Amino acid sequence: MKRSTERLLALAMLSVGIACFAKLYAALGGRPTATARLEVFGAAGVLSVLAGLLFLAGLLPAAEHDPPAPLFGRDAGIAPAGHPRLRRAALALPLLALIVIVADQFGWRAPGAEPAKEVATAPADSAPRPPEPEASAKPTTPESSIEPALPVPAQQEAAKPPLPEPVAAPAQPAQTAAPPAESAPPRPAQPAEPVQPTQQTALAPATPPPQTVAPPPPVPPAQPTALEGHRDAVVWLAVSADGHQIMSASTDRMIKLWDIDGKRLIRDLGEHKDMARSALFMPDGKTVLTAGDDGEIVLRQLSDGTVLHVFSSGANGGVRQLKISRDGKLAVSGHDTGSVVVWDLGKRAVLHVLSGHDWSVSSVAISPDGTRALTGSIDGELKLWDIVAGKQLRSWLGHERGAYGAVFLADGHHAVTGSGDYTIKLWDLDTFKEVRRFEGHSGTVYALALSADGKRLGSVSLDGTARIWNMDTGAEIAEFDPGTGPMYSVAFAADGTLLTGGIDRAIRDWPAAGGDGTVLFAGAPE
């Protein structure tokens, strides 16, 4: 805030303080009197004058904000410097003092003071009026009116309120709830979502939860195959093992399954209660695992989207990113509270809840052997974990801003990360040193994908471009710019072409050697 604004605020606070002293003098009538009412005026005047002097002296500077940039609809900015709490308290003081003055003007009396008695006389012929009924206290369910989260600055992300729990429905699938991180710092700006006792059971990490799997229903009739794309940004893409199908997740909360060869929508696999973040094919080829900001990780049947099991993160908050091990036995989820949860998918149990990140987790990768995980947060910190033993192996500041799109290389000793500092870095995880840097993007590098042979790296950025890089040299092979705005998701197709999704709601296909791309699946009509 500019200095002139600070001075105007200071003058306003001093004026309120003087007004409080004027009311105090008028109430005293020139004589000292000890009453609660006078004490309130005195305290309000002193605090307002003190706050005004602090602003006048420039002792409560405002924090400077970076320009907002979307991050799945949210930026990765670090909390600004300054004195936000003390400043807000100082700004609230004159407002409270004004409330006291207005209340006094309309007849407020301090506790213990004898109010003036006013007797209202009714006409002789009037009958007594029956008491009006009290307003109904029936709770409402606002869930149906909540809009999907749209791009907002990161400063607002920290203050995001929890979503209301859905109304319990019959025949819910079994749910496994993650216990809260034991040493996670308190986060008043990010209250945990309540866990319904009838649907979710909080379990200790060492105790497997009961398994109750809903049986599959009768085979439903074939769904229509009319092309109906996403209604909001495409933030996740995954290609099936046989290369014939794509699964996508969007801020419209939907998970969709596409036929690449037939260029058609196969079916909607399901919907999350809030923004969908991740969608992964399981190694069995029959099930998928999806996650979102609603804090749920859902095991679905690929053939018809039937929900087989729900893993609830509970107090650990929304799932920012999810990865599974190659054998499908473990999953690792990163959460907006900074927690990292390791799930035993076979036992439907929580294996570990790992705390350590001070900010929202923005990237997760699992090593090829399934024993370690690399996570990054929106402050640029990277952590390497032993997910079998449940312990942290190393922590280091890898980027100046948020770390995104972490991917392990096939050797398990190297990994790449993108960032809000516009760079992509290749890391040696034995020495924790930067091996190579890929530079060229002019915006946050939001997602990364490694080709099947490990020789090419695909990246997408909030600068609106997608790029392919040579992993051995760090050189740029191709750049794609559809001119449609930020891109959020990337994957390699079986034929080596690059698939991307972004804010324009479309899924595009780009030639491996460069050139113009094609819209593989367009967004839904507006």
Side-chain angles (χ1 to χ4, degrees):
M1 186 176 290
K2 295 181 179 179
R3 184 60 178 160
S4 58
T5 306
E6 301 284 329
R7 291 173 179 170
L8 287 176
L9 287 174
L11 291 176
M13 294 177 184
L14 291 174
S15 298
V16 173
I18 293 172
C20 288
F21 289 137
K23 294 290 290 184
L24 174 63
Y25 183 81
L28 285 172
R31 300 185 306 274
T33 304
T35 66
R37 176 185 175 193
L38 303 184
E39 290 173 359
V40 170
F41 278 125
V46 170
L47 293 176
S48 296
V49 170
L50 178 60
L53 293 176
L54 289 174
F55 270 81
L56 195 59
L59 297 179
L60 295 175
E64 294 184 4
H65 299 273
D66 292 331
L71 168 62
F72 274 176
R74 294 175 174 85
D75 189 14
I78 301 173
H83 306 281
R85 293 184 180 176
L86 186 57
R87 181 183 180 86
R88 286 194 293 268
L91 287 172
L93 289 176
L95 179 60
L96 294 175
L98 280 175
I99 293 173
V100 172
I101 294 173
V102 173
D104 180 76
Q105 192 69 25
F106 286 90
W108 170 77
R109 295 293 181 270
E114 186 175 352
K117 296 182 180 180
E118 181 178 351
V119 179
T121 57
D125 58 344
S126 65
R129 183 182 295 235
E132 295 183 4
E134 295 182 359
S136 172
K138 181 179 179 181
T140 59
T141 305
E143 181 188 357
S144 60
S145 64
I146 295 177
E147 293 293 331
L150 297 176
V152 295
Q155 288 80 7
Q156 297 179 20
E157 179 184 2
K160 177 182 175 184
L163 284 174
E165 288 291 334
V167 177
Q172 286 284 342
Q175 301 195 12
T176 303
E182 295 181 359
S183 59
R187 295 176 180 275
Q190 295 179 329
E193 295 183 0
V195 180
Q196 293 189 14
T198 59
Q199 297 183 20
Q200 302 170 353
T201 305
L203 301 174
T207 305
Q211 301 178 30
T212 306
V213 180
V219 178
Q223 296 188 14
T225 58
L227 188 63
E228 180 72 10
H230 283 292
R231 299 185 178 276
D232 212 330
V234 178
V235 298
W236 187 274
L237 292 173
V239 179
S240 62
D242 61 11
H244 296 305
Q245 296 175 338
I246 298 175
M247 190 162 47
S248 60
S250 167
T251 57
D252 66 6
R253 311 183 186 187
M254 294 299 301
I255 307 294
K256 292 179 180 284
L257 183 66
W258 308 88
D259 178 0
I260 297 179
D261 302 325
K263 293 185 178 181
R264 67 186 182 97
L265 175 67
I266 299 174
R267 67 181 58 88
D268 288 339
L269 282 176
E271 182 177 11
H272 278 270
K273 303 179 187 71
D274 198 354
M275 183 189 304
R277 294 272 186 171
S278 303
L280 304 163
F281 288 97
M282 293 290 287
D284 61 9
K286 300 178 180 179
T287 55
V288 298
L289 205 61
T290 70
D293 279 0
D294 54 8
E296 292 184 346
I297 300 171
V298 184
L299 183 65
R300 306 175 189 270
Q301 193 163 281
L302 183 61
S303 61
D304 56 12
T306 298
V307 175
L308 303 177
H309 197 87
V310 176
F311 302 85
S312 175
S313 60
N316 295 288
V319 182
R320 287 294 185 261
Q321 195 161 118
L322 175 72
K323 292 293 177 64
I324 58 175
S325 59
R326 287 187 175 180
D327 58 11
K329 294 181 179 179
L330 298 179
V332 177
S333 55
H335 298 263
D336 56 11
T337 60
S339 296
V340 176
V341 182
V342 183
W343 306 87
D344 187 323
L345 299 179
K347 296 180 179 179
R348 307 284 197 267
V350 177
L351 193 58
H352 304 291
V353 176
L354 308 172
S355 62
H357 282 293
D358 295 326
W359 294 87
S360 175
V361 177
S362 49
S363 58
V364 175
I366 299 179
S367 62
D369 62 4
T371 62
R372 294 173 298 156
L374 177 66
T375 60
S377 60
I378 64 173
D379 60 354
E381 184 179 43
L382 297 173
K383 291 182 181 292
L384 186 66
W385 309 87
D386 181 332
I387 58 176
V388 177
K391 64 179 181 179
Q392 179 178 295
L393 299 176
R394 184 66 179 261
S395 178
W396 73 102
L397 187 63
H399 293 277
E400 296 177 4
R401 297 196 67 184
Y404 304 100
V407 179
F408 267 93
L409 272 60
D411 62 7
H413 297 279
H414 294 82
V416 286
T417 56
S419 174
D421 61 16
Y422 309 166
T423 66
I424 302 169
K425 295 182 180 181
L426 172 64
W427 301 96
D428 184 331
L429 298 181
D430 294 328
T431 62
F432 301 98
K433 301 293 185 182
E434 178 184 332
V435 177
R436 186 171 297 116
R437 184 174 298 193
F438 306 78
E439 295 182 302
H441 280 295
S442 59
T444 297
V445 181
Y446 205 71
L448 301 173
L450 201 61
S451 63
D453 58 9
K455 296 181 178 180
R456 295 176 299 141
L457 179 71
S459 64
V460 290
S461 168
L462 302 188
D463 64 10
T465 68
R467 299 169 193 250
I468 299 178
W469 310 84
N470 185 309
M471 282 297 299
D472 294 330
T473 65
E476 181 181 299
I477 298 174
E479 176 184 351
F480 311 107
D481 185 0
T484 55
M487 293 187 179
Y488 302 122
S489 51
V490 62
F492 276 99
D495 60 2
T497 60
L498 195 68
L499 304 172
T500 63
I503 200 169
D504 65 343
R505 303 173 290 121
I507 300 173
R508 298 173 184 271
D509 188 17
W510 303 92
D516 295 332
T518 59
V519 175
L520 196 58
F521 304 109
E526 295 184 358

